Amino acid sequence: MKLKQKQEEKEQKRTEKSEACLYTIIKVSRDEDLGEQMTFTKFKEEVAKAFGVPVQFQRYWLWAERKNHTYRPYRTLTAQEEIQPVGQLREVSNKENNAELELFLEVELCLDLRPFPPQEKIKEDVLLFFKLYDPLIEKIRYVGRLFVKESDKPLDVLTKINELAGFSADEEIELFEEIKFEPHVVCENIDSNMSFRECVIGDGDIICFQKSIRNQCSEQYRFPEVPLYLDYVLNRQIRLRKEQEEKEQKRKEGEEARLYTIIKVARDEDLGEQIGKEIYFDLVDHDKVRAFHILKQMPFTQFKEEVARTFGTPVKFQRYWLWEKRENSTYRPYRALTAQEEIQSVGELRDVSNKGNSAEIKLFLEVELCLDLRPLSPPGKVKEVILLFFKLYDPLEEKIRYVGRMFVNRSSKLLEILTKLNELAGFLPDEEIDFFEEINFEPNVICEHIDSNTSFCDCEMGDGDIICFQKSLRNQCGEQYRFPKVPSFLEYVHSRQRLKKEQEEKEQQRKDKTEARFYQIIKVARDEDIGEQIGKEIYFDLVDHDKVRTFRIQKQMQFIQFKEEVAKEFGIAVQFQRFWLWQKRQNHSYRPHRALKAQEEIQSVSELREGSNKGNDVELKLYLQVDLCLNLRPFAPPGKTKEEILIFFKLYDPLKENIRYIGRLSVKGSGKLQDILSKLKEFAGISPNEEIELYKEINFEPSVMCEKIDNMLSFSECQLEDGDIICFQKSLQNQCIEQYRFPEVPSFLEYVHNHQQKEHKMLASGSDFPTKRPEPHEVTPTDTASTVAPQDVDDAESTRFTWTVDNFSTLNVKLYSDVFSVGGCKWRILMFPKGNNTNHLSIYLDAADAASLPSGWSSYAEFSLAVLDQVHGEFTVRKDTKHMFDASMDDWGFTSFLPLIELHDPGRGYLVDDKVILEAVVSMPKSH
């Protein structure tokens, strides 16, 4: 495809080059379309046909690109030039740096707007263009052009300028010369008493003007004068351009992510360049190291050859370490790649890398050097040997720098490497030095003194740890230094960085506050947002408003005009939109509470916001109701009466332990809940004769309130109103509820609430107690723990079996769980930890005694398999299936159960302390 595209581009260029010998493109600008340029291939007669301006009324100006990169008309065509062929005229044009022939068409008009022949232009005449700025509505527009004499003063033409703008003749105005826009704005005030010649103003120059605000309070405007507004426009364009580039970059990265992996390789050189300059804590900023864009299927050994070409380090001298984000949020190399990993593809290695919380593959390249700085093969690494990194602090210069790394025995002491460290630092061999272990930087600094007589093992040090050292100040007066020791210096750096961050946040708040006087933030939630968030990001209420589409709208904009913006954004025509205001209720739930009235929709956004504040909303938060036909086309919302109420519905599945949004209904308050049961079942895809139970979601904080509703009552009797939420589920009346952890909606919401509270407490209490890297431990043969919970049901025998798999990361081959029994049959879980020829975890239910069963045996089972989220509880993945097991097919399940990349994602809680918990719920109907 790429080759074909290149050939087509080459052919297109050849065609264009051939045509350039025969044709010239001529672009003509008129007063009506400054900023737009029209093309034509014939000359004045063609223009007459195109614009309706007879030839005798046309006068053309050549454009020129000035040294400051602005583009202006700079002189008229001469009579001699107008009789030349187009080709010769183009050559004239090219002298003025124009690749094409670009012209400005001047047409003079009478008061009745009929054209008349342009007057002869003499040297003293200057053609100026005028723009008018309005600081109230923050807009600038072209208002016309004037011929003036060089000797004239702006004061002499103020009446004409006011006439162009539609101002009264004696309106006081301020003039600014627009000089340049890139790379920064230059727009200077013009003294009306100086001549145009003295102001160095000539043909094609632009004057921006506005009403004088000398006697007004300029604070009522965001950009009171032209230069400030142009600065804002430039910054906005730069920001939008940057956002567009970032968006395009993300799109490309998204497309390429399927085929490529980014590998970031940090080296000693990077550590030396960054520590003490760009960073102080940890070792490196991975965004500033060499990044490689590598095909996923490329063998890692081939990637090493790429590194050899880039860094000049032969493959045999390279050893790579994976980085790990520790529990205390530090980021360190934690283990070298194994020989087995180095023969994998880059894509496979990326899955391993994700154990270290890396979205990309981040590596540290270890290269050992001889005394003459030639590389040598890295020494064999055993468990007893650990890799430490060293930084040197100078309290006099108040600087810290990276000095190197060293392999040490865990049983050895710092005292034993003093000579080597002094050599790294350039100190005398017997220099007395103090040691500190760099442990934590956020939320506060922890850097502890180390006793040089203590072993590395006793100091709980492992691969990737950092030791900072300095000359001992034991015999010196510490008061001569601002920060005499490493911890005090790091505290200072941390405080400085925090202060800078606070200042930036304060400045941002100031800007936001300034803009808040002129702009309104409107957050619009839709059914799509509710569907995406419920059961994933939130469980109670309807939506997180920080994750919906946000509009930044001028306060004076009419709401009907805002609806047009919404139409452009979502593709929903104005007539199909109905907006609801949200209300924070007394029980702290947040619901749509009423639709906007027709009278409110003709107000300005700021007036509507004042009405919205009655609902305790700081911003203007809206719910957009769009009703759809069966073919999913929108239709105008029906008129809403006082009797009608809008109810939202969620469906709970106790087997999968998830809740989801399924839709909304407008119902009559006098109607009964049983009247909508069929509709709800249709929403949920449930059989029409299925019995369901309904619950009213009332409160989540400080405790959960979710009450069962009697289907025979009316909505009014249940005290249901606009914005209320009903959760429903299949009835468990004829089932054994012990097979479910959370059989009903209230118990599930209680679990979610308790889990969120527990998680919040853990975060709060853990923030002050950073955890060091755990001690290395021996890898033993896989240990597993299993629990079996039998559950008798009237029509079936069911069992929930839990399998805890220890040392998961060390497993490479398929593994079976312990055997458990259901319905007289023996079962076990079969797992492929690295996937069954796929990059997913593969798990199956296996008939454990298939080999010993009689010929012709078969067993039917309905079952689910799950990988449990051990941390949050919300990311548990459960899949259901059923199968008739026999001799030809004695296992059944899911080859692509869960992507390995997700399994190893610490944020999802599947792999904790190198343990994975699998669960099987197996039911065997007695009829089989």
Side-chain angles (χ1 to χ4, degrees), residues 14 48 65 80 119 139 202 267 284 375 388 436 454 509 653 656 676 738 755 796 835 870 884 912 926:
R14 188 194 64 76
E65 182 176 3
Q80 186 178 357
Q119 295 178 355
K139 284 188 178 177
R267 302 179 296 153
V284 76
L388 299 179
F436 302 86
T454 306
Q509 287 173 358
D653 185 335
K656 295 181 179 178
I676 63 164
E738 290 180 3
H755 180 77
Q870 304 171 52
M884 180 67 78
V912 177
K926 292 179 179 178

Side-chain angles (χ1 to χ4, degrees), residues 731-922:
S731 175
L732 303 179
Q733 208 162 322
N734 300 319
Q735 296 186 43
C736 174
I737 62 171
E738 290 180 3
Q739 65 178 303
Y740 306 107
R741 288 203 304 165
F742 314 110
E744 295 178 335
V745 176
S747 60
F748 175 70
L749 291 179
E750 282 280 2
Y751 159 72
V752 171
H753 178 262
N754 294 337
H755 180 77
Q756 288 181 355
Q757 280 191 326
K758 181 181 176 183
E759 190 177 51
H760 177 72
K761 287 178 182 176
M762 286 174 65
L763 287 171
S765 63
S767 61
D768 294 324
F769 299 96
T771 306
K772 288 189 60 177
R773 186 180 182 281
E775 281 288 300
H777 60 273
E778 294 285 348
V779 177
T780 57
T782 304
D783 299 319
T784 64
S786 306
T787 59
V788 182
Q791 296 154 357
D792 293 326
V793 185
D794 290 343
D795 299 325
E797 288 187 32
S798 179
T799 293
R800 183 186 297 270
F801 174 77
T802 304
W803 180 25
T804 301
V805 185
D806 294 321
N807 302 317
F808 184 84
S809 62
T810 65
L811 305 175
N812 292 306
V813 296
K814 70 179 182 179
L815 194 69
Y816 290 96
S817 71
D818 292 341
V819 175
F820 60 97
S821 297
V822 185
C825 299
K826 294 181 178 179
W827 305 97
R828 59 185 176 179
I829 300 175
L830 167 61
M831 174 189 67
F832 289 78
K834 293 291 190 291
N836 187 4
N837 296 317
T838 180
N839 59 352
H840 287 63
L841 176 71
S842 306
I843 51 177
Y844 310 86
L845 182 66
D846 177 75
D849 55 352
S852 60
L853 291 173
S855 176
W857 71 273
S858 66
S859 294
Y860 174 79
E862 297 175 359
F863 62 96
S864 69
L865 297 170
V867 178
L868 302 188
D869 171 1
Q870 304 171 52
V871 178
H872 317 282
E874 60 187 81
F875 294 115
T876 293
V877 178
R878 187 180 302 276
K879 296 187 179 182
D880 306 283
T881 188
K882 51 192 174 184
H883 181 60
M884 180 67 78
F885 293 81
D886 55 30
S888 63
M889 192 66 74
D890 58 5
D891 61 54
W892 191 258
F894 306 92
T895 302
S896 299
F897 186 86
L898 178 68
L900 293 174
I901 188 171
E902 290 186 20
L903 178 68
H904 291 277
D905 181 353
R908 292 181 175 268
Y910 302 128
L911 185 59
V912 177
D913 295 332
D914 212 19
K915 294 180 182 179
V916 169
I917 300 178
L918 306 182
E919 185 178 85
V921 177
V922 183

Side-chain angles (χ1 to χ4, degrees), residues 445-468:
V445 171
I446 298 182
C447 186
E448 298 175 350
H449 184 268
I450 307 172
D451 184 348
S452 57
N453 285 303
T454 306
S455 71
F456 295 104
C457 181
D458 291 336
C459 292
E460 299 182 4
M461 286 193 174
D463 284 317
D465 277 335
I466 301 170
I467 293 177
C468 302

Side-chain angles (χ1 to χ4, degrees), residues 545-581:
H545 290 275
D546 290 334
K547 296 178 180 177
V548 303
R549 178 65 172 87
T550 299
F551 296 82
R552 184 171 165 274
I553 302 297
Q554 286 188 344
K555 285 185 176 180
Q556 64 265 33
M557 178 185 281
Q558 298 299 304
F559 189 79
I560 188 67
Q561 197 176 341
F562 165 70
K563 292 178 75 171
E564 292 169 3
E565 290 293 319
V566 172
K568 292 176 194 171
E569 179 68 22
F570 297 136
I572 305 296
V574 169
Q575 67 268 29
F576 303 137
Q577 302 172 18
R578 176 188 278 160
F579 288 92
W580 291 67
L581 289 171

Side-chain angles (χ1 to χ4, degrees), residues 151-368:
S151 56
D152 287 346
K153 297 176 181 178
L155 202 60
D156 302 330
V157 293
L158 286 186
T159 305
K160 287 186 178 179
I161 296 175
N162 279 327
E163 186 182 332
L164 285 175
F167 295 162
S168 62
D170 59 349
E171 182 71 54
E172 190 178 352
I173 58 176
E174 295 175 8
L175 308 179
F176 302 85
E177 183 187 1
E178 183 185 303
I179 300 172
K180 71 172 184 174
F181 198 62
E182 297 278 4
H184 54 265
V185 170
V186 179
C187 185
E188 298 177 351
N189 192 270
I190 300 173
D191 186 344
S192 299
N193 289 302
M194 292 178 65
S195 70
F196 291 108
R197 183 185 292 110
E198 289 172 324
C199 293
V200 197
I201 290 177
D203 281 322
D205 277 335
I206 301 170
I207 292 178
C208 301
F209 68 100
Q210 65 181 85
K211 288 183 179 180
S212 175
I213 56 171
R214 195 172 301 167
N215 299 320
Q216 297 182 41
C217 174
S218 62
E219 290 183 2
Q220 65 179 302
Y221 306 110
R222 282 205 310 166
F223 315 109
E225 295 184 336
V226 175
L228 293 172
Y229 176 71
L230 293 179
D231 263 325
Y232 158 72
V233 172
L234 175 62
N235 292 331
R236 184 181 63 185
Q237 288 181 359
I238 291 171
R239 187 180 72 245
L240 290 174
R241 196 182 307 141
K242 187 177 179 182
E243 288 174 357
Q244 197 62 36
E245 288 170 357
E246 288 174 352
K247 192 174 181 181
E248 180 62 20
Q249 183 62 29
K250 284 180 181 177
R251 186 191 64 78
K252 288 180 180 177
E253 287 172 358
E255 290 177 355
E256 292 183 347
R258 293 175 297 171
L259 303 173
Y260 291 88
T261 289
I262 302 295
I263 304 181
K264 294 183 175 179
V265 178
R267 302 179 296 153
D268 283 308
E269 290 85 342
D270 298 304
L271 276 58
E273 287 172 11
Q274 293 187 28
I275 291 172
K277 297 170 188 173
E278 299 172 5
I279 64 170
Y280 293 86
F281 201 80
D282 269 346
L283 293 170
V284 76
D285 179 350
H286 290 276
D287 290 334
K288 296 178 181 177
V289 303
R290 181 68 168 82
F292 295 84
H293 197 64
I294 303 297
L295 280 166
K296 286 183 177 179
Q297 65 264 36
M298 177 187 283
F300 189 78
T301 50
Q302 192 176 336
F303 164 70
K304 291 177 74 172
E305 293 170 5
E306 185 74 24
V307 172
R309 286 190 288 271
T310 302
F311 296 138
T313 303
V315 170
K316 58 185 175 181
F317 300 135
Q318 301 172 19
R319 176 157 61 193
Y320 292 90
W321 292 68
L322 289 171
W323 293 79
E324 175 185 52
K325 187 173 184 181
R326 299 180 178 180
E327 291 180 11
N328 64 0
S329 301
T330 59
Y331 216 69
R332 309 286 170 83
Y334 80 110
R335 70 170 179 85
L337 289 182
T338 64
Q340 186 179 356
E341 286 171 330
E342 292 209 1
I343 61 172
Q344 292 177 338
S345 69
V346 165
E348 291 170 324
L349 186 59
R350 182 179 181 274
D351 294 338
V352 176
S353 170
N354 275 331
K355 295 177 184 176
N357 291 341
S358 302
E360 306 147 324
I361 301 181
K362 295 175 183 173
L363 301 173
F364 171 66
L365 171 57
E366 174 201 343
V367 180
E368 301 298 330

